[in-house]
Amino acid sequence: MKSDSGLPPSEPESVVFNGQNCYLNFESSWLKHRLLKFPEISIVPVRDKRPLVKWGEWIDRPQTPEERELMLRQAEEAGGYAVICGHEVPEYGYLFCIDVDIPFEEIRSKLGEIPVTSMEGTPSGGLHLYYFAKNGPPPTKSFSGIPVELKGRGSLVVTAPTSGYRFLNDNMPRIVENAIEVFKQALRAFGGVDDPDALFEAEAEKVIDYRPEEHSLLSPWLETIESELEQRSLVKRRTLKYTMCHCPRHPPDRHPSFVINRLKYYGLDYHDGRIFNLKELAAELDIELPMPAPQPKAEAGAETKGKSRTILSLTLPGPVMLEAIGVLNGLGEYEPRLLILGPSGFEVREFYQNGDSKIAPRSPRTYPYPPYVVEDLSLRKRQDLIEMVSREVNRFVDAPEEDRAIFVGFIVLSYVQEKFDALPYLYIVGDNSSGKTHLLRLMDALCYRPMSGASLTAADLYTYLEEDGPPMTIIEDEFQGSEKDNDKMKIYKIGYKRGARVPRVVTYEGGRRIDYFQAFGLKIMAAEELTENKGLRERCVVVELVEGAPEKDYYDDDDRARFARIRAELLKWRMAVLAGKDELPRLELDWLRGRNRELYLPLLTVLHGTPLYDLVERRVRTEIEQKAKEKASSLEAVVCHLALKQVEARGLVVFPDLWNDLLEALNGVEERTSSVSIARAMETESHGRVTKAQISKILTEKFAMRRERTKIDGRTVVIFRPSAVKLQMLRRKYGEADPPSAPA
């Protein structure tokens, strides 16, 4: 008897998690997916296709039962999950997926051209085909412009019962010999590719954008292996980057099916996707490799083990600046590299040796934005970069020129956040169709290492933030309602100050601990309404968008390629600034003080020396004048001026007299009812309804005066005694001028 999932019924699997027995019940809705029958396949919770955990550690090892149980719980809470391809299931093989991004109706008739297997529909109308490969974990593979992709080792595939994904049949994943051959069949059937072999051959010719380095051990090994392949007449073509040959491990074939990467010293068999280092390859060819000369032994007591660390960005003494970037290999994948700026200029390496410490770049698979790809090692001036960014903002955003200058400033500022003690946030307000999301996509494409999403949660942010790393940019759409997430608001409210960190209790196998995450960094938010949180609002530069007609209201491949080049230029400029090879201007602006200085000094600094500086300065001065007028005419200002007059005359404030003075200054009319003899409020034209409780609160909370009751001229009255220190602050804040008169 089968369950409605298509799988035979199974007894619950018991595991121990946090000291308690837990059960993976295969009758639950979340475990009916046929792939979850196999405990060797790791799963990851997702929301809107975005992983909610760092999943790189499971690429080459399956999850423990405890880890899998935790991932399943989080997936149920998030409403979605993905499987990690490339894991081996005993007696089945290595899981992989053919992802077809073409409407199912268009390819239904061609399904018979590839092996029938487990099929799943996607939210976009496309198709997932799941298989097991017997000959090793297949690589992830795709070709530009072809909507068919092989999801192999290290790939995530979002799958049912995630919303929008549905089963199209009851089949189990089919076992096949060779994943690459199935992929080639799919390319022919669904991608319109007549000769997939030619695609693979052309891909192997692609240039890798980093400097080759001679290796004292591997270079002689490479020469020995290539010489042996030549003698066996297997080499078909050799370039600076690759040696392409007929496979020495499989029967002769028509096209080269084995490639040796001459820059990175590895071999790849396209039949099964297996990768060999040179030592393994020599063993396959049954040849002996030359061994290096023996090295002198280390002195007694010398340290033999070095430390290693992976980084996104790091500044070392010297100064030397390091940034993680990506290089495209022959498989269409981005591999991690370090862009290094030292005394001799820019260079690209696989790692950087700093004393006994080895510093390596983070893999592009571990961060939620495209890797930086650097093709040119020259450096542009800040003014040129601002002009490049400004052209893009002007092309895609229809807004007043002062607002566009603000957007440019935020993009450029994101690359040098560490140079400032405080940062502004950008808050974009606009109705539907006002262009908020279109603008955020541009910011996401150009800002420094951004995480972008809608209605982000505290868990999303903690997953992205690091304990020790560079300040990164958070871009959030649909921000309304975020005030209810207290953990999230802690990050936003303190994250504008350099060094700000937020604690979080983390549960792990051995117990619990407190980790501290770096919250400092730019935050860019968009919502239909301005946030009600006053503390956050005061940290934001607010820009209102209305529906307009930009020069271009969509993004295509040409735009994205141009954005990638601009990002690379901005990254190199960041490195030059942090390494001390380029200086930001130092501005002495006496007119810019307090909160306004925190908000606008960073923007004015990065825009200095360009036409955009004048636009932003004009906006800032206008805002300062407007705020000053609002402050001078505020109810607090009126109360302050009248209270100060009493303090100067009597040394204290007599509340009934202050109330009468307010009635006159505001042209107020007292509210009286038949049930009370004393008025408790007044109606005014300039401030609406004003109550005695409201005035008392201003005196005690805003002005720090002490409320008392005493007798004056035989009657008991309420008085307020001022603080001498607070009085001086009030005089500076509101001035000594007469209170503003009520409007005529």
Side-chain angles (χ1 to χ4, degrees), residues 525-650:
M525 299 150 274
E528 296 177 11
E529 298 178 352
L530 189 59
T531 177
E532 297 178 359
N533 190 296
K534 183 180 178 183
L536 176 62
R537 195 166 62 240
E538 290 179 347
R539 290 159 173 76
C540 295
V541 175
V542 180
V543 177
E544 184 174 356
L545 287 184
V546 296
E547 185 173 357
E551 179 183 331
K552 195 172 182 182
D553 60 358
Y554 64 93
Y555 300 101
D556 54 32
D557 289 341
D558 290 340
D559 299 325
R560 285 183 278 271
R562 194 171 61 254
F563 296 159
R565 292 192 294 271
I566 295 174
R567 290 172 73 237
E569 298 299 331
L570 287 165
L571 183 72
K572 290 184 292 183
W573 172 71
R574 161 186 167 79
M575 298 175 70
V577 171
L578 296 185
K581 295 182 179 295
D582 194 357
E583 292 288 338
L584 290 175
R586 295 181 179 272
L587 304 185
E588 299 295 335
L589 305 176
D590 294 337
W591 56 273
L592 197 60
R593 297 177 179 275
R595 180 71 72 185
N596 288 319
R597 184 178 180 85
E598 291 182 343
L599 286 178
Y600 289 109
L601 181 62
L603 294 172
L604 291 169
T605 298
V606 298
L607 295 177
H608 188 263
T610 73
L612 302 186
Y613 177 90
D614 294 334
L615 295 175
V616 175
E617 180 179 332
R618 185 172 64 197
R619 173 196 171 104
V620 178
R621 287 185 180 274
T622 300
E623 284 191 6
I624 291 175
E625 292 175 3
Q626 183 177 350
K627 288 179 180 178
K629 290 179 181 178
E630 291 175 355
K631 183 188 294 184
S633 60
S634 67
L635 180 61
E636 289 180 11
V638 176
V639 174
C640 178
H641 285 293
L642 295 175
L644 286 175
K645 283 188 175 181
Q646 287 202 34
V647 170
E648 291 171 358
R650 306 176 180 178

Side-chain angles (χ1 to χ4, degrees), residues 79-274:
Y81 82 99
V83 295
I84 302 177
C85 293
H87 285 294
E88 182 181 16
V89 176
E91 300 181 7
Y92 286 84
Y94 297 85
L95 178 70
F96 71 95
C97 174
I98 302 294
D99 184 1
V100 185
D101 194 17
I102 301 173
F104 180 66
E105 291 73 16
E106 297 181 17
I107 61 175
R108 183 193 300 267
S109 62
K110 298 182 179 181
L111 288 174
E113 300 179 29
I114 64 171
V116 177
T117 189
S118 172
M119 295 195 304
E120 180 179 72
T122 68
S124 62
L127 190 65
H128 285 171
L129 303 167
Y130 294 97
Y131 297 89
F132 289 110
K134 295 180 69 175
N135 292 336
T140 295
K141 190 77 182 110
S142 63
F143 296 99
S144 178
I146 299 177
V148 182
E149 183 177 2
L150 169 60
K151 299 283 191 178
R153 175 187 172 276
S155 284
L156 279 184
V157 179
V158 181
T159 182
T162 305
S163 176
Y165 293 82
R166 66 195 188 285
F167 301 120
L168 299 179
N169 63 14
D170 292 327
N171 296 358
M172 289 291 291
R174 182 169 182 150
I175 301 173
V176 298
E177 290 291 331
N178 191 314
I180 294 293
E181 287 304 317
V182 175
F183 180 45
K184 289 179 180 178
Q185 294 176 48
L187 289 172
R188 292 189 189 97
F190 309 135
V193 179
D194 296 329
D195 188 359
D197 291 320
L199 273 182
F200 280 82
E201 185 175 340
E203 191 74 14
E205 292 281 10
K206 286 189 175 180
V207 175
I208 296 181
D209 299 317
Y210 79 99
R211 296 180 182 178
E213 296 181 3
E214 287 297 319
H215 194 291
S216 59
L217 175 62
L218 297 182
S219 296
W221 285 8
L222 177 63
E223 293 176 8
T224 302
I225 291 172
E226 288 183 331
S227 176
E228 177 67 21
L229 293 173
E230 289 276 10
Q231 293 178 23
R232 299 187 189 183
S233 300
L234 294 175
V235 174
K236 183 172 182 181
R237 181 157 59 264
R238 181 181 296 173
T239 68
L240 174 66
K241 313 294 182 182
Y242 295 102
T243 295
M244 287 153 283
C245 55
H246 298 289
C247 184
R249 303 177 60 242
H250 291 88
D253 41 20
R254 187 162 54 97
H255 295 287
S257 54
F258 196 94
V259 63
I260 297 176
N261 189 309
R262 307 184 73 219
L263 298 183
K264 292 179 287 182
Y265 305 104
Y266 72 79
L268 170 62
D269 188 341
Y270 278 123
H271 290 98
D272 51 26
R274 184 174 172 186

Side-chain angles (χ1 to χ4, degrees), residues 8 40 43 65-66 92 116 121 152 158 191 392 443 455 516 566 573 622 669 689 705:
E40 297 84 2
I43 65 173
E66 294 84 359
Y92 286 84
V116 177
V158 181
E392 302 302 328
M443 308 288 275
S455 301
Y516 292 88
I566 295 174
W573 172 71
T622 300
V669 177
R689 187 172 185 267
M705 293 186 178

Side-chain angles (χ1 to χ4, degrees), residues 56-62 84 87 153-154:
E57 62 182 298
W58 299 310
I59 289 177
D60 293 311
R61 73 165 178 89
I84 302 177
H87 285 294
R153 175 187 172 276

Side-chain angles (χ1 to χ4, degrees), residues 456-505:
L456 299 174
T457 65
D460 297 328
L461 298 179
Y462 280 114
T463 301
Y464 181 60
L465 298 176
E466 297 188 344
E467 295 181 58
D468 185 17
M472 295 178 284
T473 310
I474 294 173
I475 301 175
E476 180 173 358
D477 201 358
E478 304 298 338
F479 188 78
Q480 56 268 14
S482 294
E483 297 87 350
K484 300 176 183 178
D485 190 336
N486 292 329
D487 288 340
K488 173 179 172 179
M489 293 307 292
K490 289 178 185 177
I491 297 172
Y492 275 75
K493 290 182 72 173
I494 73 168
Y496 76 105
K497 285 283 191 182
R498 186 164 65 177
R501 305 176 79 85
V502 285
R504 194 183 198 199
V505 177

